[in-house]
Amino acid sequence: MPLGIDRTKFYANKSRELEVSSLRKDERIASLETENAMLYLKLAQLRGEVAAAKREASESFSDLESGDRFKTYVLQKAVKLHKDAQNLKQELMKVRASAEDIPRQFSQYFQRACTAIQHHTAVFESRSSNIMALADQVAQLQGTLTDVTERHAREKKRRQELHNQLMELRGNIRVHGRLRPLMEFDAENEDMNTLGRPGTRSEVVVHYVDDENICVRTSKHNKIYEYERVYNSTEKQESVFDEVQPMLTSLLDGYNVCIMAYGQTGSGKTHTMLGSHRNDDYNPSHDPQPDEGVIPRATRELFRLIEEKPFGTHTIEVSVVEVYNNDIRDLLSRDPNAKHDVVTGGDGQLSIPTVTSKPVDNVDAVMNLVQYGLKTRKESATLVHEHSSRSHLIVTLTVNTKAPSFFAKTMTTDSEAGAPGGLAKKGKSLSQTWTAEQLQLVSGGQTANQQPVIRTKLQLVDLAGSECVGMSGVKGAALREASNINKSLSALADVLGALAEHRTHVPYRNSRLTHFLQDSIGGDAKLLILLCVSPAQRYITESLQCLGFGQRARQVQRGPTKRRLPSSAEKVAPESGSGHSRPSSSSR
């Protein structure tokens, strides 16, 4: 710095110059940055234009390639069409040649056809007489076949009738078998898709053979069981009742009738006797239903038969009881838990005088009473059956029939002559000649206008099912119920065994069930046992026991069934060296 210059001013000027220079540089920098930003924008714009140009070029290239491919495709198609056209021309030439040859071929074929027709006409004319003869033979054979079929049906029916007559003369118990179809619960814990498959617990081992035989296939051998009638798993309720229906006519002819269903739990006994239902929601129908069981069908048929009789000659009473834990319970009583005892009357007939018996005059009244009783009947769920009946159900329809007027005249004559005393004077005791009902009629001052009555009973029995305790899984009260059920069914088997072997003592009193049904089992009623059988392997033991029970029942020969007579009549016994007659309970 030159000497003599003011440093302060120098530095100030120098600072201003530098500031101005700095400002100019900052302005230049800002200007350059602005230009740089503008250049960047221009660059981005150019890049976008380049990308668009590339895309346009790519699209143009793709269009060009597509055009080339289309051109190639069109050329190929053109070549193919040209070839096809050449082929069509060749085919057309062949068709034209064939068309030109058709008249000649047609003429040849026509001549051949005329020759064949002439030949076949000649053959037909020569054989027409044979055809007529064959037609006559076919008609004769058809008539013979129809005649043989009808004769076979008649002979089969006659054989069944003769067999039934023989059974009645012997007093045999009629036994029918019914095989139910497989049900979902038969699968137990197995997959439902395996239901009925060989090797599973639900495999079908009980088979329908024909209308008289059932076959059980076991691991060792096959067993065939024969009965009076066998129903397969597809037969309807109506088929079962068709076999039961004739017995109801016997009821009005003066015979007691008993129909009972026997089998293990879940085998279809209650379905057979009542139809598909649950006790707590059983609703009888006024009109016949296809699923109805024996009890509603028998009731309808009984009232139908009575309608054909003179008005006022028949009345019906109904009682509904169950045998539960070896006690007899009246299901129509206000106190169903009250116990009742079987009493032997003076005429030797068993009865339960304390049981409610209600008069009825139509089917609805009977089934409403049955419905009322079912609501009280004991049932519970087991592993085998969701609605297992825990008691034996017995529905009794008592038919009171007015006897012919000559019985009343006979009774009046004996009464006017002082029959009890007169008979005593003739050397006959009252016990030999007069039943308890007769003595009651005379002692009550009956007159000639009072007509004696024939009382017959229709007992419809739905037995509780036998069950294996280990399989059903019952405990506590249900275990006691199962024990009593099995004991009573075992007692029933013992009674049939004693009857079949003609033992001097028949253990009716070993169970309330057998004691109550003593008259029906012992020969005072036409008895039909419906065996209900489950087809699955898991029930093989119970099924064999059930079928064996039916075989033992068929062996029982009780003698001819006893026909009920009016209380004022006595039936003369066969000549046996004495002139005494027997009471009305003697056999026909």
Side-chain angles (χ1 to χ4, degrees):
M1 175 179 29
L3 296 174
I5 297 175
D6 187 0
R7 292 183 176 181
T8 302
K9 290 181 179 181
F10 176 79
Y11 286 125
N13 292 331
K14 195 70 174 176
S15 175
R16 282 194 297 271
E17 290 176 359
L18 291 173
E19 287 178 357
V20 170
S21 177
S22 175
L23 288 173
R24 289 176 179 172
K25 288 180 179 180
D26 289 338
E27 290 176 355
R28 181 64 177 167
I29 289 171
S31 175
L32 291 174
E33 287 179 348
T34 301
E35 291 179 359
N36 189 29
M38 292 179 67
L39 291 174
Y40 271 115
L41 289 175
K42 188 67 174 176
L43 178 63
Q45 183 179 0
L46 292 174
R47 285 178 177 174
E49 292 176 354
V50 169
K54 287 182 178 180
R55 285 196 299 271
E56 289 178 359
S58 177
E59 290 175 357
S60 299
F61 183 73
S62 298
D63 292 341
L64 182 61
E65 288 182 343
S66 298
D68 291 340
R69 287 195 298 270
F70 181 73
K71 181 180 178 181
T72 303
Y73 173 76
V74 169
L75 289 174
Q76 292 175 351
K77 278 290 185 180
V79 172
K80 184 177 180 182
L81 288 173
H82 180 71
K83 290 181 179 179
D84 292 341
Q86 294 295 328
N87 293 332
L88 287 174
K89 287 181 180 180
Q90 295 176 0
E91 291 292 332
L92 180 60
M93 292 176 64
K94 292 179 180 179
V95 169
R96 285 178 178 175
S98 299
E100 292 174 354
D101 193 47
I102 283 176
R104 182 184 60 80
Q105 293 179 357
F106 177 78
S107 177
Q108 293 177 354
Y109 291 147
F110 181 75
Q111 291 178 358
R112 292 176 185 176
C114 289
T115 304
I117 289 173
Q118 292 175 359
H119 172 72
H120 288 299
T121 301
V123 172
F124 176 78
E125 291 176 352
S126 65
R127 295 182 179 179
S128 59
S129 59
N130 294 334
I131 293 174
M132 295 297 295
L134 289 174
D136 292 338
Q137 292 180 6
V138 169
Q140 291 177 0
L141 288 174
Q142 288 178 342
T144 304
L145 178 61
T146 303
D147 183 58
V148 169
T149 303
E150 292 176 353
R151 288 173 56 191
H152 176 265
R154 288 196 300 268
E155 290 299 326
K156 183 176 180 181
K157 183 177 180 181
R158 178 170 173 76
R159 185 186 68 81
Q160 292 177 344
E161 291 175 351
L162 291 175
H163 176 74
N164 290 336
Q165 291 176 8
L166 179 61
M167 295 286 287
E168 287 190 11
L169 291 174
R170 291 178 176 176
N172 289 48
I173 298 172
R174 300 180 192 179
V175 181
H176 294 184
R178 189 180 196 189
L179 188 63
R180 73 158 172 80
L182 277 178
M183 309 294 285
E184 291 185 1
F185 60 80
D186 290 327
E188 201 172 10
N189 296 325
E190 298 175 347
D191 184 1
M192 281 299 301
N193 294 326
T194 65
L195 182 66
R197 289 185 183 176
T200 63
R201 295 261 294 162
S202 61
E203 176 187 1
V204 176
V205 295
V206 185
H207 299 271
Y208 170 86
V209 179
D210 54 37
D211 58 0
E212 292 182 352
N213 293 278
I214 288 180
C215 176
V216 181
R217 288 205 314 232
T218 63
S219 57
K220 297 180 180 179
H221 52 269
N222 296 338
K223 294 184 178 181
I224 301 291
Y225 296 87
E226 181 181 3
Y227 304 106
E228 281 69 42
R229 180 71 162 86
V230 173
Y231 311 96
N232 61 39
S233 59
T234 61
E235 291 195 63
K236 305 298 183 182
Q237 299 278 62
E238 183 179 2
S239 300
V240 178
F241 183 70
D242 285 343
E243 301 293 333
V244 174
Q245 187 174 0
M247 300 184 71
L248 300 179
T249 304
S250 299
L251 182 69
L252 297 185
D253 288 340
Y255 294 94
N256 290 333
V257 176
C258 179
I259 303 168
M260 66 172 65
Y262 180 94
Q264 73 163 109
T265 182
S267 60
K269 299 180 303 301
T270 303
H271 173 76
T272 298
M273 295 304 291
L274 283 164
S276 299
H277 80 291
R278 291 174 51 186
N279 287 351
D280 55 355
D281 62 0
Y282 179 70
N283 293 308
S285 173
H286 175 74
D287 299 319
Q289 300 296 316
D291 221 22
E292 282 183 341
V294 171
I295 293 178
R297 289 177 184 270
T299 304
R300 294 183 192 279
E301 177 65 13
L302 181 57
F303 278 101
R304 187 192 69 80
L305 292 173
I306 289 177
E307 287 178 357
E308 297 176 353
K309 304 294 182 180
F311 178 75
T313 57
H314 294 76
T315 59
I316 297 180
E317 300 172 0
V318 63
S319 65
V320 184
V321 303
E322 69 173 351
V323 180
Y324 174 68
N325 284 341
N326 206 33
D327 290 325
I328 298 175
R329 291 159 35 100
D330 183 2
L331 298 182
L332 300 184
S333 171
R334 294 182 178 179
D335 182 13
N337 293 319
K339 299 178 182 179
H340 303 268
D341 293 321
V342 180
V343 176
T344 304
D347 58 352
Q349 298 295 315
L350 299 178
S351 64
I352 308 178
T354 55
V355 164
T356 304
S357 185
K358 293 185 177 291
V360 290
D361 55 7
N362 56 61
V363 178
D364 292 342
V366 176
M367 297 314 300
N368 286 333
L369 290 174
V370 173
Q371 177 193 25
Y372 179 84
L374 288 175
K375 291 180 179 179
T376 313
R377 187 186 185 188
K378 298 292 184 180
E379 72 168 28
S380 61
T382 69
L383 296 180
V384 177
H385 188 31
E386 184 180 0
H387 303 286
S388 176
S389 300
R390 314 309 291 169
S391 66
H392 309 291
L393 177 70
I394 304 170
V395 178
T396 304
L397 298 174
T398 304
V399 180
N400 300 308
T401 306
K402 291 182 180 180
S405 58
F406 62 83
F407 284 113
K409 294 179 181 179
T410 303
M411 188 187 93
T412 304
T413 304
D414 291 341
S415 300
E416 292 174 351
L423 288 173
K425 292 178 183 178
K426 293 180 181 180
K428 296 182 180 179
S429 66
L430 292 176
S431 60
Q432 289 176 314
T433 309
W434 289 75
T435 65
E437 293 175 346
Q438 291 171 299
L439 293 174
Q440 182 179 1
L441 286 174
V442 175
S443 62
Q446 299 271 351
T447 66
N449 293 329
Q450 290 177 306
Q451 201 168 352
V453 172
I454 302 173
R455 293 175 62 87
T456 53
K457 293 187 299 183
L458 170 62
Q459 288 186 315
L460 303 165
V461 186
D462 177 22
L463 295 174
S466 60
E467 62 183 67
C468 174
V469 174
M471 183 181 295
S472 62
V474 294
K475 298 178 181 179
L479 178 61
R480 178 169 175 263
E481 293 169 350
S483 175
N484 280 292
I485 290 171
N486 290 336
K487 285 180 181 178
S488 60
L489 295 176
S490 177
L492 179 59
D494 291 341
V495 166
L496 293 178
L499 290 172
E501 296 172 7
H502 303 288
R503 298 179 198 165
T504 56
H505 173 68
V506 181
Y508 290 113
R509 294 178 180 267
N510 284 1
S511 167
R512 291 288 178 86
L513 174 66
T514 53
H515 193 196
F516 184 28
L517 299 177
Q518 177 176 341
D519 290 342
S520 298
I521 301 172
D524 199 27
K526 295 187 177 183
L527 177 58
L528 169 64
I529 297 179
L530 293 169
L531 302 177
C532 298
V533 186
S534 302
Q537 167 68 36
R538 63 181 294 212
Y539 310 115
I540 183 68
T541 302
E542 290 78 8
S543 297
L544 289 172
Q545 185 274 331
C546 176
L547 296 171
F549 173 88
Q551 288 291 317
R552 289 193 298 275
R554 292 190 72 208
Q555 297 171 3
V556 176
Q557 297 184 9
R558 308 172 299 171
T561 305
K562 300 174 183 179
R563 186 175 184 178
R564 305 293 295 165
L565 294 176
S567 55
S568 62
E570 54 178 325
K571 194 164 188 179
V572 179
E575 295 290 339
S576 58
S578 65
H580 299 308
S581 60
R582 296 198 298 175
S584 60
S585 60
S586 59
S587 63
R588 179 177 59 171

